[in-house]
């Protein structure tokens, strides 16, 4: 099996990234993760990837005057490392249409809500405030626009009466770590 050279884009602690790295250690997983890029130098995920022997670099968005300039550098780094597929995992930068067009059909993201509900931030608080009885996470293809694009896979849990945004986020994260590796494999297998 030819494995697809995959980069993971992060901004923070990198727990989803670690779940992807763990799963992709198996030669049966279709992703070969060869690169991690963070837009924030302080992202804990950079050290975690490095400790695993994965090339981990920072392209700090604050070093660029425009979003387009940042994305040009990001794209150049991906190409320089022969990357064929991108998994965004807690990557907190909105990508412009220009970048998305270059990677459309080869870039996925995980979002902590049952899309199309609750695009954007504070999804757990919004689900609780709305009185929802269930909440979840979605892995989706990246299209232009925040948290848009066809859904690949979702996981759902019950919202408990005494849940607050933190307890709900913690239970959703457990679901995310399970869902994302399988959804990445599914997305890559759908390419061929
Ligand atoms: C996850 O909940 C992800 O769905 C959201 O941000 C969080 C990132 O966590 N977009 P981590 O960096 O994977 O630990």
């Amino acid at each position: 099996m030819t494995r697809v050279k995959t980069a993971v884009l992060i901004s923070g602690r990198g727990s989803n990234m670690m779940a992807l790295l763990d799963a992709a250690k198996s030669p049966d997983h279709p992703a070969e993760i060869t690169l991690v890029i963070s837009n924030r130098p302080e992202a804990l995920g950079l050290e975690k990837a490095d400790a695993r022997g994965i090339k981990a670099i920072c392209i700090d968005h604050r070093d660029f005057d425009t979003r387009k300039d940042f994305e040009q550098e990001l794209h150049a780094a991906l190409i320089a490392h022969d990357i064929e597929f991108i998994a965004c995992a807690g990557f907190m930068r909105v990508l412009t249409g220009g970048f998305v067009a270059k990677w459309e059909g080869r870039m996925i993201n995980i979002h902590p809500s049952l899309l199309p509900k609750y695009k954007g931030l504070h999804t757990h608080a919004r689900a609780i405030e709305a009185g929802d009885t269930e909440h979840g996470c979605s892995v989706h293809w990246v299209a232009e626009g925040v948290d848009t694009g066809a859904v690949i896979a979702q996981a759902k849990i019950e919202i408990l009466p005494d849940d607050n945004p933190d307890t709900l986020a913690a239970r959703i994260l457990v679901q995310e770590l399970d869902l994302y590796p399988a959804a990445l494999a599914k997305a890559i297998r759908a390419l061929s």
Side-chain angles (χ1 to χ4, degrees):
M1 180 181 67
T2 313
R3 301 172 78 208
V4 172
K5 277 196 196 311
T6 300
V8 183
L9 304 189
I10 62 167
S11 299
R13 70 191 159 177
S15 45
N16 276 284
M17 173 206 77
M18 288 300 280
L20 296 179
L21 290 180
D22 282 345
K25 272 199 296 200
S26 160
D28 295 335
H29 197 284
E32 181 191 2
I33 300 174
T34 54
L35 181 66
V36 168
I37 302 180
S38 171
N39 66 308
R40 303 185 71 92
E42 65 275 23
L44 287 177
L46 281 174
E47 290 164 32
K48 294 180 187 170
D50 192 52
R52 284 293 182 91
I54 305 290
K55 174 98 180 169
I57 60 176
C58 175
I59 301 175
D60 190 337
H61 65 275
R62 292 164 297 192
D63 290 343
F64 300 87
D65 289 336
T66 66
R67 210 171 269 275
K68 202 173 151 210
D69 290 347
F70 164 70
E71 289 176 349
Q72 257 169 15
E73 185 72 17
L74 182 60
H75 182 71
L78 293 161
I79 296 301
H81 289 86
D82 298 322
I83 294 301
E84 303 165 285
F85 200 90
I86 301 172
C88 300
F91 181 65
M92 302 303 283
R93 291 301 289 169
V94 174
L95 295 164
T96 68
F99 184 88
V100 170
K102 291 192 184 103
W103 291 94
E104 198 152 14
R106 292 183 298 143
M107 176 162 54
I108 65 175
N109 180 45
I110 187 155
H111 182 70
S113 81
L114 291 170
L115 289 173
K117 287 184 106 168
Y118 310 126
K119 295 173 180 173
L121 299 174
H122 311 302
T123 58
H124 312 300
R126 287 157 67 200
I128 291 171
E129 272 160 30
D132 290 1
T133 54
E134 56 184 25
H135 188 44
C137 51
S138 308
V139 176
H140 64 96
W141 293 101
V142 175
E144 192 177 351
V146 175
D147 302 321
T148 55
V151 169
I152 298 160
Q154 289 183 317
K156 206 184 271 187
I157 61 168
E158 198 186 335
I159 299 180
L160 303 174
D162 58 352
D163 259 329
N164 61 51
D166 292 337
T167 59
L168 188 54
R171 293 211 318 289
I172 293 290
L173 185 63
V174 174
Q175 300 295 319
E176 291 181 46
L177 304 185
D178 204 37
L179 183 73
Y180 207 0
L184 172 61
K186 183 179 171 187
I188 289 181
R189 290 195 176 110
L191 295 176
S192 46

